[in-house]
Amino acid sequence: MAKKLSVLVLVMVLVLSMFAGCAQEEATPEAAPEKTEEKVEEPAEVVEEAGTVGVLMPTKDLQRWNQDGANVKEQLEAKGYEVDLQYANNDVAIQVEQVENMITKGVDVLVVASIDSVALVGVLEEAKEEGIVIIAYDRLLMETEACDYYATFDNEMVGTIQGQYIVDSLGLADGAEGPFTMEVFAGSPDDNNAKFFNKGAIDVLTPYIESGVLVVKSGQGQTNDEWTSIGIQGWKSEGAQNRMDNLLTAFYADENIDVVLSPNDSLAQGITAALDSAGYGTEGKPFPVLTGQDCDINSVKNIIAGKQSMSIFKDTRTLADRVVTMVDQILAGEEVEVNNVYDNNVKEVPSFLCEPVFADIDNYEALLVDSGYYTADQLN
Ligand code: BGC
């Protein structure tokens, strides 16, 4: 009996040590054997729980959307989600088709930076019926119940910072009387954000327009309710360049323009091209104070060259991070963290607003280069 037992014990020891050997072999070249179990289980767990996320971006034409798309994809994939990222070439019909494809694919969450704030209503409602959770990215989805959350930078604050930058650059709050000539540009009329950018800036500038310190010689776009009439369709640089050419010819043949309020960088670049052709950039004709948004590489180069004054910096890494948090919380069935609501004319959409800041010649290196957003080479 004792002999039988000791044989049995010997066999068990042998079998156990064989298993231990296998486990170690499989685990190599991974770390210590006791961590093997955790290491093997971890990926399996993530794959099982992670979902599929469709990400729709408007266009590759503008640098920012390329960065947005890449950051969102990279950060979601790092968490184990499957990501389908699509660009729509600023074509609404393509974006509608992309939503349809995402429904067929059965994504769990759809992240949408729309081209036209209302054009997706029908197809998004189909998505919602299929149980897909919809996050509006950067641009709010208007006129629909099918918008569950909204992640963006604070759009009105973007305009407020631009307006305040003009006030500070001209010393208006310190009593500078000018008068300073100014023209106002606005974004694409189909983009709900454009209204907020305009409102934020015009609210800051109105007292100076009313007192005559700032003079809009064309008379166009001086109040909040006029922005669509001067809006540049599709945020096109060429559209802004044409309008600026016309304004310079019609109103600034004998006088310099001192300020141009531009809501973003694609417009600012068109405006700069018009100013360049009109001979700005000399002592007698210095470039006006010119605002922008996105810190697009070409605009940062213009800031360095003294052709554009500032650009709002909306770190796409921050927004991507927020979206990943939202997706995590949605799919874990947790409460989604928000800090605001935006009214889309049908419902109050729970929203998370990130905080924008501005970059100019004094701080662009610290903000954009030292933070690793751009390399110094990219800005040469
Ligand atoms: C975005 C801006 C961008 C503009 C043009 C807006 O909706 O918020 O960052 O410059 O679209 O693409």
Side-chain angles (χ1 to χ4, degrees):
M1 180 73 181
K3 200 174 168 194
K4 263 193 188 165
L5 247 183
S6 60
V7 170
L8 194 65
V9 168
L10 190 68
V11 168
M12 276 172 71
V13 167
L14 271 174
V15 168
L16 279 176
S17 65
M18 265 169 67
F19 273 120
C22 285
Q24 270 187 43
E25 253 168 54
E26 274 171 19
T28 44
E30 297 280 353
E34 64 264 34
K35 291 205 172 149
T36 304
E37 234 182 75
E38 268 179 48
K39 284 232 148 113
V40 171
E41 269 174 19
E42 223 171 16
E45 218 177 292
V46 173
V47 170
E48 220 176 88
E49 284 182 9
T52 308
V53 185
V55 181
L56 301 184
M57 291 285 151
T59 174
K60 285 193 164 183
D61 284 354
L62 237 76
Q63 183 201 318
R64 75 151 290 185
W65 301 116
N66 292 279
Q67 271 168 314
D68 284 283
N71 283 329
V72 172
K73 184 171 158 66
E74 190 184 307
Q75 293 190 29
L76 283 170
E77 281 177 349
K79 289 264 186 157
Y81 296 107
E82 190 190 325
V83 179
D84 189 348
L85 167 65
Q86 302 285 336
Y87 287 84
N89 198 21
N90 257 346
D91 183 330
V92 174
I94 295 181
Q95 200 165 53
V96 168
E97 206 179 298
Q98 288 172 339
V99 178
E100 278 161 359
N101 291 341
M102 296 289 179
I103 298 173
T104 311
K105 187 171 178 173
V107 297
D108 300 297
V109 180
L110 197 50
V111 178
V112 188
S114 62
I115 296 160
D116 178 319
S117 320
V118 288
L120 299 177
V121 173
V123 75
L124 284 177
E125 271 155 21
E126 280 172 41
K128 183 113 191 93
E129 273 164 31
E130 294 301 318
I132 298 171
V133 180
I134 296 150
I135 302 176
Y137 183 92
D138 189 88
R139 299 172 171 173
L140 184 57
L141 295 157
M142 299 298 289
E143 314 284 348
T144 182
E145 280 288 338
C147 177
D148 297 291
Y149 301 100
Y150 179 33
T152 188
F153 278 88
D154 187 331
N155 296 308
E156 191 165 335
M157 195 189 285
V158 166
T160 307
I161 296 172
Q162 292 169 333
Q164 194 57 47
Y165 193 90
I166 292 171
V167 169
D168 293 344
S169 300
L170 301 177
L172 302 187
D174 299 332
E177 287 176 357
F180 301 100
T181 55
M182 176 174 85
E183 293 298 331
V184 177
F185 280 70
S188 196
D190 52 7
D191 180 350
N192 188 57
N193 286 357
K195 178 178 75 186
F196 289 95
F197 300 149
N198 183 260
K199 182 178 183 327
I202 292 294
D203 281 354
V204 174
L205 300 173
T206 295
Y208 303 102
I209 297 172
E210 286 180 348
S211 69
V213 174
L214 291 173
V215 180
V216 181
K217 289 189 82 182
S218 70
Q220 298 168 12
Q222 304 189 69
T223 59
N224 293 145
D225 50 8
E226 282 175 72
W227 77 272
T228 46
S229 66
I230 54 159
I232 303 293
Q233 187 60 44
W235 296 93
K236 292 267 184 211
S237 299
E238 305 80 57
Q241 182 172 352
N242 287 340
R243 179 161 183 264
M244 193 68 211
D245 280 338
N246 293 339
L247 290 171
L248 289 173
T249 310
F251 303 100
Y252 298 91
D254 309 317
E255 198 177 353
N256 290 350
I257 184 159
D258 301 315
V259 182
V260 185
L261 171 67
S262 165
N264 92 330
D265 284 350
S266 60
L267 268 51
Q269 287 163 27
I271 293 162
T272 300
L275 292 165
D276 267 332
S277 329
Y280 279 80
T282 63
E283 213 180 311
K285 243 182 169 188
F287 279 103
V289 175
L290 171 61
T291 58
Q293 165 180 202
D294 292 338
C295 283
D296 187 280
I297 287 181
N298 288 329
S299 279
V300 180
K301 286 181 176 173
N302 282 345
I303 290 177
I304 297 167
K307 297 180 173 190
Q308 183 174 328
S309 313
M310 60 88 86
S311 182
I312 299 290
F313 179 44
K314 304 196 297 191
D315 192 329
T316 52
R317 297 168 300 190
T318 308
L319 193 53
D321 194 56
R322 176 48 49 188
V323 167
V324 173
T325 304
M326 278 187 171
V327 170
D328 274 345
Q329 290 168 339
I330 290 165
L331 293 180
E334 290 166 9
E335 195 180 325
V336 175
E337 189 190 344
V338 291
N339 61 9
N340 215 302
V341 285
Y342 258 66
D343 187 346
N344 78 348
N345 293 343
V346 170
K347 66 184 280 199
E348 301 268 293
V349 182
S351 306
F352 197 102
L353 273 50
C354 304
E355 208 177 303
V357 293
F358 73 81
D360 70 358
I361 193 68
D362 295 328
N363 70 356
Y364 83 89
E365 269 179 314
L367 206 59
L368 304 175
V369 182
D370 299 350
S371 76
Y373 198 72
Y374 293 137
T375 63
D377 279 355
Q378 284 176 290
L379 303 179
N380 277 331

